[in-house]
């Protein structure tokens, strides 16, 4: 480990390291030591910058959700028509929208952790509201909620399934869900 006397980015580096460790090891396997090693900082830096491992995880999940929200919004930036919306949602589910397996692993870890840590529900709710706000530019709020849930659910099915879900099947489901209104 290298010695850093002046390290203004240390807290950010620790949060980014926590995201990487959560992606690799899951919440249950994430420890102060693993994060410190990944961030290349002394263990004491974690307790200096964060009140607890839960505090650090919460900040890591919040940062991840914020980054994903920016990616999500950018993905829909050029959408103008219903057909473009169907294609954009299909691309998102099919894995062609800037989120990789690591990003989804972190999202699933967040969802699971939020079941037991109510403070994380604020992170998930903020993330879901941001996603729905993007979709509400194209569809009504109720449909936006349904499409948001569809995206989450189909990505999970695609990720966890042993059988492939074809792009055409995804597109058909999205097209039917969005409807004609």
């Amino acid at each position: 480990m290298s010695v850093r006397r002046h390290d203004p980015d240390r807290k950010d580096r620790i949060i980014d390291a926590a995201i990487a460790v959560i992606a690799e090891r899951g919440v249950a396997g994430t420890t102060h030591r693993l994060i410190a090693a990944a961030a290349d900082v002394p263990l004491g830096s974690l307790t200096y910058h964060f009140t607890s491992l839960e505090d650090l995880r919460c900040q890591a999940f919040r940062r991840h959700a914020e980054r994903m929200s920016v990616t999500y919004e950018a993905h829909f930036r050029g959408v103008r028509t219903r057909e473009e919306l169907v294609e954009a949602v299909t691309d998102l589910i099919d894995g062609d929208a800037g989120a990789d397996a690591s990003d989804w692993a972190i999202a699933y870890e967040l969802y699971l952790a939020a079941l037991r840590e109510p403070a994380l529900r604020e992170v998930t709710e903020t993330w879901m509201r941001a996603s729905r706000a993007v979709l509400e530019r194209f569809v009504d709020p109720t449909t936006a909620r349904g499409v948001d849930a569809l995206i989450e659910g189909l990505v999970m099915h695609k990720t966890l399934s042993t059988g492939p879900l074809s792009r055409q099947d995804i597109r058909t489901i999205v097209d039917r869900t969005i409807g004609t209104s």
Side-chain angles (χ1 to χ4, degrees):
M1 184 172 352
S2 59
V3 176
R4 291 184 179 90
R5 290 205 164 106
H6 180 68
D7 191 0
D9 299 325
R10 183 174 289 195
K11 183 176 180 181
D12 285 335
R13 200 169 59 256
I14 292 168
I15 292 171
D16 288 339
I19 293 169
V21 171
I22 291 167
E24 181 182 333
R25 303 282 185 119
V27 168
T30 298
T31 66
H32 281 104
R33 289 187 190 287
L34 287 171
I35 295 168
D40 191 24
V41 299
L43 191 56
S45 292
L46 276 66
T47 56
Y48 176 80
H49 290 288
F50 306 95
T51 59
S52 64
L53 186 56
E54 290 77 20
D55 175 36
L56 174 51
R57 278 197 317 250
C58 187
Q59 291 189 46
F61 281 133
R62 184 174 291 115
R63 175 169 295 168
H64 179 73
E66 289 167 356
R67 287 176 178 165
M68 292 302 295
S69 289
V70 169
T71 300
Y72 190 89
E73 196 282 327
H75 178 70
F76 289 94
R77 197 167 287 136
V79 171
R80 301 283 179 260
T81 68
R82 182 192 174 286
E83 278 304 306
E84 290 172 345
L85 176 62
V86 170
E87 287 304 316
V89 172
T90 301
D91 288 345
L92 193 66
I93 295 165
D94 201 35
D96 298 326
D100 61 20
S102 176
D103 292 322
W104 285 107
I106 297 164
Y108 298 145
E109 289 290 335
L110 169 58
Y111 301 154
L112 185 58
L115 289 173
R116 292 177 180 79
E117 293 180 45
L120 291 175
R121 290 185 189 161
E122 179 266 323
V123 175
T124 59
E125 184 58 32
T126 299
W127 191 1
M128 287 186 280
R129 271 196 311 270
S131 298
R132 288 191 310 258
V134 169
L135 295 170
E136 286 173 10
R137 294 188 334 230
F138 312 105
V139 295
D140 64 90
T142 302
T143 303
R145 184 178 285 268
V147 172
D148 187 43
L150 175 74
I151 291 166
E152 297 283 342
L154 283 180
V155 169
M156 184 179 291
H157 283 227
K158 186 172 184 263
T159 302
L160 301 176
S161 177
T162 58
L165 182 61
S166 74
R167 179 179 176 79
Q168 185 54 48
D169 286 346
I170 293 168
R171 191 187 186 295
T172 299
I173 294 166
V174 170
D175 186 52
R176 290 176 183 171
T177 300
I178 291 175
T180 57
S181 54

